[in-house]
Amino acid sequence: MGESIVSRGKTVKDAVELALDLLDAEKKDVTIEIIETESRGLFGIGSKQAVVKVTRKTAVPQEAAVPDLRERLETLDLDTLLDAAAPPAAEDSHKLGKAWVKEGKIHCRDAEGAMPLITAGEGIQLFKNGAPVDKTTTIAEKDVFTVQLDDEFQEPQWKLSMDDRKMAVVLEIMPGFHISRYLKDQPPAAHLKISVEEIKSVIRTESQDILRELDGWGVKFGIQIDEITEACRSSSGGTYTIARGKEPEPGENGKFQRFFDADADRTTAPKVRADGTIDHREIKEFPSVDEGVLIGALLPPVPGAPGIDVTGQKVEPEPVHPLQLRAGEGMTLIENDSKALSTKPGKPKIVQRGLVVDVLIVPKMVHGTDVDLESGNIHFQGDLEILGSVQDGMKVSAQGEIIVRGNVNMADIRAKHSLVVSANVISSQITVGAGSLLTAKALPLLRQVSGKLKLMKAAVIQVGQASAFKSTDYGQRGIWPLLHLLLQGKFKDLQITFTRFLALISEEERSAEPELLQVAERIRKNFTNQQSGTLSDVQDLEQFIVWIDELLEVWELTADDQPYCEIAYAHNSTIYCEGSFRANKGCYNSQIHCYGHFEAKEFLRGGEYYARGGIRAVEAGSNGGSTTKLHVPEDSEIRIGRVMENTVLRIGPKTHHFEKETASVHARLDSNGNLLLY
């Protein structure tokens, strides 16, 4: 039997011509069997195609015909051809008059009396017989439907950054993606609503690309391969430190080694016997030495070890400095001024400020009665013990420690080292330490001045290096015109700091230390004077900055030499202490400022209390009383056993106002600067 083809067409003629073309034959070489003729239906509804079977009369040898037929068939849409050639199977009857999507292609089965519809979903550009379709349209087997679906690509992005010290390289990376879009399979429906299915795949950066970039930057030390691998594998991206240098090991400045511990016995106050006399054998605050005792010696500085930056270069540690030893009263220096030896008996006093250590012998004075009009004010260079009280309007000062066995009533006391008041401090002014409350307020402003002046110096140097600038531009007025312009522009905040500092010194000029007055005067001459200044060049500006830094270093006490203040009660008093403060009972409506730790054994009622080292109290505030304010820096904490209403806690910039009684309050800032209360 010869080869046969069943084909369909609009007419019998069309179906026969299609079959002849497929067989590559002429009519005379075939037999034609008409299986079904075409039918147009009523108004085009229910029309049918013609179906014919065409058979070759003489068979063509298989080995010659198959290759040629295969080549022709490969150019045809076999699915469409077979669907057209074969009558609908019984099991496909549910597809008649419907359209569907399978494996990304749109299909349709015509049916008499049915007209399927098709609607494209969001993001799909539908074409019918080559023309775009904007809305719902009909679909028939003869129609050719195509869709345009655009894939979406995003290339991975990344960049490197290196810190100014070349100690770290940071990678910021974001992976790319490829979104492939396909037509979603849909079951046969009279109204086919086609939609898109998306498959998103991640496009990752190759670690070799990053390593090549590092090599181009000259990075060769501390490369974190694991961190690079993790960054490249991340699906969400992020910031990674992919190279770390080795920080230099810090050294230590010189130290003063004490052979005699001047503070070892300072833990308790003198003991009072039952008969009211003082047992001086128990006065631990005032240990003493005899003549010819070696007090201590200087130790040389210990240099640090260099580190390595990410480019492999050596990073030198911060320089270290030796201490300078100075002998005061009752002390001499030996062995190239490296050791201190007592020349008379008394209590050794060792005070370190910055890189200078002062060693001296301090005598002790005991005043057996009250300090009043009969005794007059007392000013003493050593330690002072007052067995009575300090009465109204009296002044007491000492370069060492002061102990008052009675009360301090409306008086002014200044102790350079420490103060212990066994009874009450009432409506008095207390200063403990080398500075004052004014100094405590001024130092933060001076630190700001120093930092901002260093930035201003860099700006002046930058302007001086500009091609449009000439060294002769300074002229006879020095760099004042340039400083004036900077203060009115980029450094307005420094002008504000100057104004605050000068206002503070002006308000308390009578109690200001000479050095603070000198700083204020030089600021007025060089920066706030609207006519001229005395700084001629950058070197003068640098010397002014160095001078301020030296003053700051002198005013900064080391931890070993911080003073302390201890009282029973404080009433309506102002107390400044450069070290720690303790109230063995409590405080009423007082202003207390201390650099160390603040502790109240019982209560704080009304007033303001600041402590750099943190605050502890059993109770704070009062029911219906005045506001009680407690303030510590952001790196400190506040612990109160019970907080009453109208109490304000402030830690750094964060504040909390208690409107009801709260027990066991612990307040601090977390790592993100948020106030925690628990």
Side-chain angles (χ1 to χ4, degrees), residues 95-112:
K95 297 181 180 178
L96 292 175
K98 298 179 181 178
W100 67 94
V101 178
K102 184 177 181 181
E103 296 179 356
K105 294 183 179 180
I106 301 172
H107 302 275
C108 176
R109 279 275 191 267
D110 291 343
E112 187 173 354

Side-chain angles (χ1 to χ4, degrees), residues 382-513:
D383 294 332
L384 175 62
E385 182 177 3
I386 299 171
L387 302 184
S389 297
V390 181
Q391 300 297 351
D392 298 2
M394 304 308 296
K395 293 183 179 181
V396 175
S397 66
Q399 293 299 306
E401 299 167 317
I402 297 178
I403 294 178
V404 180
R405 298 302 176 187
N407 296 316
V408 177
N409 302 310
M410 301 178 63
D412 186 339
I413 294 185
R414 294 175 179 265
K416 191 169 184 180
H417 192 267
S418 300
L419 171 67
V420 175
V421 180
S422 300
N424 302 331
V425 176
I426 303 170
S427 301
S428 296
Q429 299 285 329
I430 304 293
T431 301
V432 182
S436 62
L437 186 56
L438 173 61
T439 305
K441 294 178 181 179
L443 287 184
L445 295 175
L446 274 185
R447 293 188 193 98
Q448 293 181 34
V449 167
S450 174
K452 292 172 183 177
L453 281 179
K454 290 170 185 175
L455 295 177
M456 177 180 278
K457 184 188 76 171
V460 172
I461 293 174
Q462 184 177 359
V463 171
Q465 294 174 343
S467 58
F469 183 85
K470 299 178 182 179
S471 59
T472 56
D473 289 347
Y474 287 143
Q476 296 181 348
R477 303 181 69 189
I479 59 173
W480 181 87
L482 177 55
L483 297 180
H484 185 69
L485 288 174
L486 292 173
L487 287 171
Q488 306 231 338
K490 185 177 180 180
F491 291 90
K492 282 183 178 179
D493 55 342
L494 178 56
Q495 183 70 51
I496 294 172
T497 305
F498 281 149
T499 302
R500 291 174 58 194
F501 177 81
L502 293 176
L504 177 65
I505 301 303
S506 177
E507 289 174 4
E508 303 186 43
E509 187 170 357
R510 290 185 178 181
S511 61
E513 295 182 341

